[in-house]
Amino acid sequence: MQVYEAPIRDMRFVLEELHTDDGFGDLEGFEDFDEDMRSAILEEANKLCRDVLLPLNWPGDQQGCRIENGVVRTPDGFPEAYKAFCEAGWAGLVVDQKWGGQGAPHSLAKMVEEMSCSTNLSFGLYPGLTGGAMVALEAYGSNDLKNLYLPKMANGEWSGTMCLTESHCGTDLGMLRTKAVPQDDGSYLVTGNKIFISAGDHDLADNIVHLVLARLPDAPAGVKGISLFLVPKYLPKDDGTLGDRNGAGPTAIEHKMGLKASATCQMSFENSKGWLVGEPNRGLEAMFAMMNTERVAVGIQGLGVGEIAYQSAVYYAKDRLQGRSLSGVKNPSGPADPIIVHPDVRRMLMTMRAYNEGCRALSAWVSRALDAEHAAKEPEARARAKDFVALMTPVVKALFTDLGHESAHLAVQVYGGHGYIQESGVEQFARDARIAMIYEGTNGIQALDLVGRKLPDRMGRNLRSFFHPVSQFIEDNGADANIGKMVGALQQSFGALQLATGHIAQKGMKDPEEAAAAATDYLRLLGFVAMGYCFAKAAKVAHAKLAEGTGEADFYKAKLVTAQFFFDRLLPPATAQFMAIRSGKASMMDMPAEAF
Amino acid sequence: MQVYEAPIRDMRFVLEELHTDDGFGDLEGFEDFDEDMRSAILEEANKLCRDVLLPLNWPGDQQGCRIENGVVRTPDGFPEAYKAFCEAGWAGLVVDQKWGGQGAPHSLAKMVEEMSCSTNLSFGLYPGLTGGAMVALEAYGSNDLKNLYLPKMANGEWSGTMCLTESHCGTDLGMLRTKAVPQDDGSYLVTGNKIFISAGDHDLADNIVHLVLARLPDAPAGVKGISLFLVPKYLPKDDGTLGDRNGAGPTAIEHKMGLKASATCQMSFENSKGWLVGEPNRGLEAMFAMMNTERVAVGIQGLGVGEIAYQSAVYYAKDRLQGRSLSGVKNPSGPADPIIVHPDVRRMLMTMRAYNEGCRALSAWVSRALDAEHAAKEPEARARAKDFVALMTPVVKALFTDLGHESAHLAVQVYGGHGYIQESGVEQFARDARIAMIYEGTNGIQALDLVGRKLPDRMGRNLRSFFHPVSQFIEDNGADANIGKMVGALQQSFGALQLATGHIAQKGMKDPEEAAAAATDYLRLLGFVAMGYCFAKAAKVAHAKLAEGTGEADFYKAKLVTAQFFFDRLLPPATAQFMAIRSGKASMMDMPAEAF
């Protein structure tokens, strides 16, 4: 059973109650989005996701996409759902109002994204890719391109893609071969083959706007010779109506482990007409503007799947009767007790719950910073928000997707044998979630980005945007009667993180392989400390609300149990990864390649 | 790419060199299986698995099984492969010679099983189930049943199944409803529906021997009213030729996440003729004789998939060119270095390798004990072997399958985007391996078996069969110049395990939910200590062999690196699970069910 109701109370908690002291202050430009409006948006998004997208999720997996005469067909119901999605304005939720978008803050939009990722990850990719393409286009496109394309993309009439990967190069884009030859009219003819292109072709939108990495004829070798081009499926006329088909289209659909309702295409460009986006040979810069937004979005995919996996497992654990509680019969009128009475089932449910609440709390903090980068009043707050986003982007991407995948597998385990059967719907979560650990840069690449770029950048300034509030919080609350013990545990893990940081800084300066050898363990340690900080803060808020007696005691009490579970069960093994980090690269690198 | 060559050198290491001092002494009855014979068997098994089973693995996944007019068809090539398998005598490898088997020791046969699980897990289930059924039949069947059925099963002409699960009961067999009504001729008519029946029907063997759990008319409620029946697909005549079709057959094939070439059937029994196996109402006892063998076999499935996942990942990591080594270009004539140069890829490969070598070493110890239970000369050694098997059965089942699944996903990650594509072959490993964490008792159930039955049994006697050699080893080798540091780390983890054991004994006595809340973490901790012990011993042997200068220095040096990696990177987080155990049940159980 795929069961879902948006966790709106927890979303409101992390949006309204948890990060009130994050120091970014009031943000400008979001005056329309007051508390009532935010609640209304969350409620409406829940309805669409629960009632329209979720019913298509499992059938979409079973049916998959198909390619017929060079045209990709999405599963039954997808075109209608996409239409409903766009007509309600969701396609342009965070897009600037001048392009016809809603101009909503990221902190709100990420909650909506979480809902669509929960209820139909495959579906969510189509508008998600469009959103990423708009970011790159808005930042680097010419005014002509922006005026022609952005309004159509903001309302979902046209969709977008990112065309990076070729069969011989994914992570190492320096090897890419696709060519772009300049024409007299200022356009380019793009020729080459791409693979793994999400939403590369489909029947949802009228036109598809491909952002393609390619090389100019005189380009230098390697990553410094890559430019970005906009190549539409249909060439629009100046008035925005569609003209001729461009020579850009799918040659095959990839056969994937999951995410089967998302059309992942092999694409062929043959003298396809395109336009340069940004400066020649600086395509990676433009692509990375888009990639960073996408990486946070991919992290949210992990959280989204984790949430529906949790809810579906809870549903089953309350429904499935098997065995009796060790503390006495709980369901005397039935032949057995529901399996939620068993501690080991609780362990799985609480683990999923803690992952989801921890990730959601951290995601709210990061997306507040995404907004504050541009909308904070004080320049100092904008700069600090930017540092924090830079630091946390790889953490959100890698940590959330690792944990979402783990949660999906815990849900399968709660279902037991039934979870391995396709009709249960839960094994789909595990297959769908798996890709998020790989695309937009594998999680190993995220870890290298963290230790290789984000840590050393400007003498560790990014890191201070995180370390400072955490150490301040520990200092302020270590003696707190309610949360002092949690804060003590946080302090211990934070201490391990500080030592690990010092280890990487020292050893990595002399030998970059030492930093790389520590990267994945370090990212996880940092991520768990960040979640621990969020949980300790959440516990503080919960205690305060319970003391005030504001009502909703059940919500705050549950928050305290989940936080305690996190500190009891999840933080200690993550903290011990410091030992792995400290051991250095030797046993990882000593084996000669031929001995493998 | 699915790449495989049996790790015969490591198998010989764990069989011949590692456990020479396990105290079980020489075993009787295996005189035919001297070192030359063992080597020949491993070589022959490798050829069959690599050359016959592996080529069918991926096509089998893609094609799957189908049911046509009530008859199940396995994928193309499976019947021929099964015939070759049986003709070479593999079906009866461990079966007593008096039934026509080879009478080989388990310690050898488990290595062969590992190979078939690596190369074609789906295929391996068919003879695997037969082996389990033979164990139950040999231990509990009447002489008539044994004489009629065992010779045909030992040569693979007939295959076997275990029919336990019904849609409303899996773990909680007390609720099962299938009925058996006694007939005047001493037989029974069995009626009921079963689900999830592996090898429930297929076109490989001439007959299928179902072992079915059912209730006699006067049976008490619950697990004390369950009996075991032998129900053949075709009723054999007294001379062993096939007679009429019995009313037992498949109604559907389950649609599973993986293991698609294994026919998992929904079965209907309608007045199907059967014979009682063992005493009335004591069917669970007979079933558990079979189940324990099966549980170790399922653990080997995890190891098998882990091994081919590792080899396939190594193949790709040496082949795929992407990026340059941080310590200087390693492949100057190519456009990039093979990804095996990157520390984070090494981390994944070394983790898989350490899991596989650790599990293989532990499995050799446990399967030596499986043999010694019956074949050790001294009664004391037989008793100790039995204790050790009892303790380690749930550990092997749960730990190996968890780690095998993790290795399969690490292989997918090494392949990056290509790993998510079905044609790569590696995502199949992840889907296939997933079931092993569930069937034959979920891994959570294994953990409960460990802490709830195996630990308290006879005042902890099972545990002493493990704790004693480990503490002796630590005492003897703590000051060793070569391995003293490893032994120190082992001692620390062993200390945590001892404390955790005390915690469970004390708290669990007062409140069984406390033991249950600790179970999964405890099993993992115990398993990692056991692997750590094996690695420290392996390092001791390796140092001795290197000092002797016996040749094969590369093998022993590689063993030392892998052991060091295990102690550096894998043991510390597992040891930290002691903290989770110590935290007790509160945060796991405090949440009211309605708050989920």
Side-chain angles (χ1 to χ4, degrees), chain B residues 311-458:
Chain B
Q311 292 192 27
S312 301
V314 166
Y315 168 86
Y316 190 75
K318 290 178 176 178
D319 184 65
R320 174 78 170 172
L321 306 180
Q322 208 80 174
R324 288 296 186 185
S325 165
L326 291 167
S327 61
V329 171
K330 297 287 183 291
N331 176 32
S333 62
D337 288 339
I339 61 172
I340 200 169
V341 304
H342 302 308
D344 201 62
V345 172
R346 286 291 185 115
R347 175 186 61 80
M348 297 190 275
L349 297 178
M350 288 301 299
T351 299
M352 290 186 249
R353 183 181 178 116
Y355 285 165
N356 293 333
E357 292 188 12
C359 289
R360 187 174 298 116
L362 181 54
S363 111
W365 188 14
V366 174
S367 55
R368 265 277 292 175
L370 274 172
D371 292 324
E373 268 192 87
H374 307 290
K377 284 178 185 155
E378 304 299 326
E380 184 279 332
R382 289 202 292 275
R384 195 156 35 78
K386 195 174 172 187
D387 294 346
F388 186 68
V389 168
L391 179 76
M392 284 295 175
T393 295
V395 177
V396 166
K397 196 281 181 182
L399 181 72
F400 290 17
T401 59
D402 278 352
L403 301 185
H405 183 247
E406 206 182 302
S407 285
H409 277 292
L410 286 171
V412 172
Q413 198 69 16
V414 169
Y415 274 68
H418 294 272
Y420 198 65
I421 304 297
Q422 292 180 358
E423 283 78 358
S424 74
V426 290
E427 60 90 39
Q428 182 192 352
F429 300 146
R431 286 184 292 103
D432 284 0
R434 185 64 184 87
I435 188 59
M437 298 156 73
I438 296 173
Y439 62 13
E440 308 303 339
T442 63
N443 286 359
I445 291 294
Q446 305 302 321
L448 292 177
D449 178 47
L450 178 64
V451 303
R453 292 202 195 97
K454 302 304 176 54
L455 287 197
D457 182 32
R458 294 166 299 154

Side-chain angles (χ1 to χ4, degrees), chain A residues 115-415:
Chain A
M115 296 183 202
S116 65
C117 293
S118 284
T119 48
N120 201 322
L121 191 59
S122 283
F123 179 92
L125 275 203
Y126 297 98
L129 268 290
T130 310
M134 278 191 281
V135 169
L137 199 52
E138 189 171 8
Y140 291 91
S142 67
N143 283 334
D144 283 353
L145 287 177
K146 289 198 272 195
N147 288 326
L148 183 55
Y149 286 90
L150 286 177
K152 298 277 190 187
M153 295 171 83
N155 66 21
E157 235 177 288
W158 298 355
S159 73
T161 75
M162 300 165 63
C163 298
L164 288 71
T165 303
E166 301 177 7
S167 62
H168 59 287
C169 71
T171 300
D172 189 355
L173 288 169
M175 294 199 282
L176 77 78
R177 295 179 190 145
T178 298
K179 297 264 176 226
V181 180
Q183 304 299 300
D184 291 344
D185 65 354
S187 72
Y188 295 79
L189 292 184
V190 176
T191 300
N193 294 303
K194 300 282 179 177
I195 64 169
F196 302 166
I197 306 306
S198 297
D201 197 57
H202 52 80
D203 51 6
L204 305 182
D206 296 338
N207 199 6
I208 302 177
V209 183
H210 304 292
L211 292 187
V212 185
L213 289 184
R215 290 187 181 284
L216 292 168
D218 57 351
V223 292
K224 289 180 178 162
I226 298 174
S227 306
L228 183 66
F229 299 89
L230 183 160
V231 182
K233 177 177 176 183
Y234 291 98
L235 294 164
K237 299 176 188 160
D238 289 345
D239 63 357
T241 58
L242 295 184
D244 292 341
R245 185 79 156 78
N246 203 355
T251 52
I253 294 186
E254 309 282 6
H255 307 115
K256 307 191 301 296
M257 180 185 204
L259 211 73
K260 291 176 191 252
S262 162
T264 310
C265 297
Q266 296 176 18
M267 299 290 292
S268 161
F269 297 88
E270 272 195 65
N271 290 322
S272 310
K273 191 161 184 162
W275 290 267
L276 187 69
V277 177
E279 302 287 312
N281 299 330
R282 299 188 61 178
L284 279 198
E285 194 180 314
M287 193 49 93
F288 267 96
M290 171 175 178
M291 188 78 99
N292 277 327
T293 317
E294 289 301 298
R295 285 180 171 176
V296 174
V298 172
I300 301 294
Q301 294 177 7
L303 168 57
V305 177
E307 177 64 31
I308 193 168
Y310 166 75
Q311 292 192 28
S312 301
V314 166
Y315 168 86
Y316 189 75
K318 290 179 175 178
D319 183 65
R320 173 78 170 171
L321 306 180
Q322 207 80 175
R324 290 294 186 187
S325 166
L326 291 168
S327 62
V329 171
K330 298 287 183 291
N331 177 32
S333 62
D337 288 338
I339 60 172
I340 199 169
V341 304
H342 302 309
D344 201 63
V345 173
R346 286 293 184 115
R347 175 187 61 81
M348 297 190 274
L349 297 178
M350 287 301 298
T351 300
M352 290 185 251
R353 184 181 176 115
Y355 285 165
N356 292 334
E357 292 187 12
C359 289
R360 188 173 297 117
L362 180 54
S363 111
W365 189 13
V366 174
S367 55
R368 265 277 290 174
L370 274 172
D371 292 325
E373 268 191 86
H374 307 290
K377 283 179 185 155
E378 302 301 325
E380 184 278 334
R382 290 201 292 275
R384 196 157 34 77
K386 195 175 172 188
D387 294 346
F388 186 68
V389 168
L391 179 75
M392 284 295 175
T393 294
V395 177
V396 166
K397 195 281 181 182
L399 181 73
F400 290 17
T401 58
D402 278 352
L403 301 184
H405 182 247
E406 207 182 301
S407 285
H409 276 292
L410 287 170
V412 171
Q413 199 68 17
V414 169
Y415 275 67

Side-chain angles (χ1 to χ4, degrees), chain B residues 8 25 86 110 115 137 143 199 201 310 341 370 374 376 383 391 426 479 506 523 525 546 552:
Chain B
I8 290 180
C86 295
K110 290 290 166 219
M115 295 183 202
L137 199 51
N143 283 332
D201 196 57
Y310 166 74
V341 304
L370 274 172
H374 307 290
L391 179 76
V426 290
Q506 281 184 348
L523 185 148
L525 175 55
L546 285 168
E552 299 191 295

Side-chain angles (χ1 to χ4, degrees), chain B residues 56-57 75 79 131 144 161 172 187 237 288 297 313 334 347 387 407 516 567 580:
Chain B
L56 300 177
N57 192 42
D144 284 354
T161 75
D172 189 356
S187 71
K237 298 175 190 161
F288 267 95
R347 175 186 61 80
D387 294 346
S407 285
F567 283 102

